[in-house]
Amino acid sequence: MDVSVKGALTPNAWRAASHPRRSIHSMAWTAWVAAIVVIATLTRNPWYLGLVIASVAFVRRRCAAPSESPHATLLSPVRFSLLVITTAALFNMAMVHVGATVLFTLPPWIPLLGGAWTLEALAYGALNGAALVSLFLGFSVLNRATSARSLLRLIPRAFYPVAVVTSIAVSFIPTTLQQIEQIREAQAVRGHRLRGVRSWLPLLIPLLEGGMERALQLAEAMTARGFAGGVETRDRWPQMLTLTGFVGLVAGWLLQIVWRQQEAGAALLAFGALLLLTGLWRAGRRHPHTVYRPEQWRARDWLVAVAAGAAALAYLLPLFARETLFYYPYPALSWPAFDWRIGLATLGLLAPALS
């Protein structure tokens, strides 16, 4: 690529252009992350969680830019994963004094911590930590492979003001961290050294002034562009449809869960979802917008979305041995069961790295 073209691109756009695997549609990435959320919510089987973590770690490595350093982050994913799993295991072992394999016993007069500390509680806490790690890795891949702008485009146009405010909030933290680093370097050139609490004052005052200045500039720019300054309409149908659809969803869920009316509940859920989507569609028509660079949905996007959907359906629908999902190490630690069909469906999470 020509140097002048490279200079005209933003860092995210340059990484996407130099690394074609990042060109997967943001909707496909969203479906992929949704499948990870479904799996991490429904199972604590170590075999399936291990497959999820291994698949996501492989995708994360394959989707990294060639010039991206694995040590660029403050806390590496490996260290973070070990920290989360260890903390969850120790916390669960300290709080849950159940299990046949007693490692040691603390005096019962100690609040919360007193009692038997068991291997089963340690194992179940580690499995909960592994589920959290799979979620963290999945969202870290989403953050690296897509931009905030492409994700915000997926928000329905009915929530256009919310999407704009969300984009500002998302960009606030990295911008603030970048400004802190710039101020620290500038103060270091002037001979300033951080030695105590008072030495942070020369950093906090410029940071506060810069944040206020950026906020005022952003407010003036949004006012000049007429943000949220549209003509008020008297059409109340979108609100009525949305509210009725939400009530229908709640009523259908209660029919299925509380009153065990599966068919009536499913019908009411479908009707409520239809009304909700119709209301959002009508509300979105008030906010027309133009996309200058629309994302193209290609064959590899179908591959990622279908593979992620198949992985999620293997855990949601009673197609295979669902009893293998509910691993519970109490009262005695046992060897977890494994269904190769569910494991094979879980490997569909590798689709972004293979497309």
Side-chain angles (χ1 to χ4, degrees):
M1 183 178 294
D2 185 63
V3 177
S4 60
V5 177
K6 176 182 177 181
L9 293 175
T10 62
N12 289 338
W14 164 247
R15 286 195 295 266
S18 60
H19 200 64
R21 296 188 186 277
R22 292 177 179 265
S23 59
I24 297 176
H25 200 280
S26 56
M27 182 66 75
W29 279 117
T30 305
W32 183 78
V33 172
I36 296 175
V37 173
V38 168
I39 296 173
T41 303
L42 294 180
T43 186
R44 288 298 181 270
N45 190 310
W47 294 117
Y48 301 145
L49 289 177
L51 284 176
V52 172
I53 293 175
S55 301
V56 176
F58 182 75
V59 172
R60 190 180 191 276
R61 183 174 182 83
R62 293 283 291 174
C63 291
S67 59
E68 191 171 350
S69 174
H71 306 289
T73 57
L74 181 62
L75 188 62
S76 67
V78 176
R79 293 179 180 178
F80 179 82
S81 302
L82 293 177
L83 177 63
V84 169
I85 293 176
T86 303
T87 304
L90 294 177
F91 181 81
N92 192 71
M93 184 172 61
M95 296 293 106
V96 181
H97 306 287
V98 179
T101 309
V102 179
L103 299 178
F104 57 90
T105 304
L106 293 181
W109 55 265
I110 301 179
L112 297 179
L113 303 181
W117 290 45
T118 64
L119 181 61
E120 287 77 13
L122 180 69
Y124 197 69
L127 292 177
N128 290 330
L132 294 177
V133 167
S134 64
L135 294 176
F136 164 75
L137 292 177
F139 281 98
S140 68
V141 172
L142 182 68
N143 181 58
R144 297 173 67 176
T146 61
S147 63
R149 178 181 301 178
S150 61
L151 292 177
L152 291 172
R153 286 177 181 174
L154 303 179
I155 299 177
R157 284 187 291 170
F159 304 111
Y160 167 73
V162 179
V164 175
V165 174
T166 304
S167 64
I168 296 173
V170 167
S171 61
F172 172 76
I173 295 179
T175 303
T176 303
L177 294 177
Q178 183 180 6
Q179 187 180 11
I180 291 174
E181 185 65 23
Q182 293 175 353
I183 295 173
R184 189 187 65 81
E185 292 178 356
Q187 296 290 5
V189 171
R190 296 180 175 91
H192 178 73
R193 296 293 181 270
L194 296 176
R195 297 185 179 90
V197 178
R198 294 183 178 180
S199 62
W200 282 88
L201 192 60
L203 274 69
L204 296 178
I205 292 180
L207 179 64
L208 181 61
E209 293 178 352
M212 294 294 294
E213 183 179 358
R214 290 199 314 272
L216 291 175
Q217 292 176 354
L218 179 61
E220 293 174 356
M222 294 175 68
T223 303
R225 289 168 173 80
F227 175 73
V231 180
E232 186 68 23
T233 178
R234 296 183 178 179
D235 185 14
R236 301 299 179 186
W237 276 106
Q239 291 88 341
M240 294 176 60
L241 290 174
T242 304
L243 180 60
T244 307
F246 178 75
V247 172
L249 288 175
V250 174
W253 177 75
L254 290 176
L255 281 176
Q256 285 191 327
I257 302 299
V258 179
W259 293 289
R260 303 297 180 182
Q261 302 291 330
Q262 300 296 330
E263 297 180 357
L268 195 55
L269 280 174
F271 182 69
L274 180 61
L275 290 181
L276 183 63
L277 293 176
T278 304
L280 293 178
W281 173 75
R282 292 199 57 166
R285 296 182 62 186
R286 302 177 184 175
H287 304 283
H289 71 287
T290 301
V291 180
Y292 294 101
R293 294 180 179 178
E295 293 184 275
Q296 300 294 328
W297 187 272
R298 299 181 176 87
R300 58 173 171 266
D301 303 319
W302 280 112
L303 174 62
V304 173
V306 171
L313 290 178
Y315 289 81
L316 286 171
L317 300 180
L319 300 176
F320 308 121
R322 284 183 56 86
E323 62 274 7
T324 62
L325 304 181
F326 310 106
Y327 177 71
Y328 201 63
Y330 304 107
L333 197 64
S334 60
W335 194 259
F338 180 77
D339 190 335
W340 67 270
R341 296 166 296 183
I342 298 180
L344 184 62
T346 307
L347 293 179
L349 298 176
L350 292 170
L354 304 178
S355 59

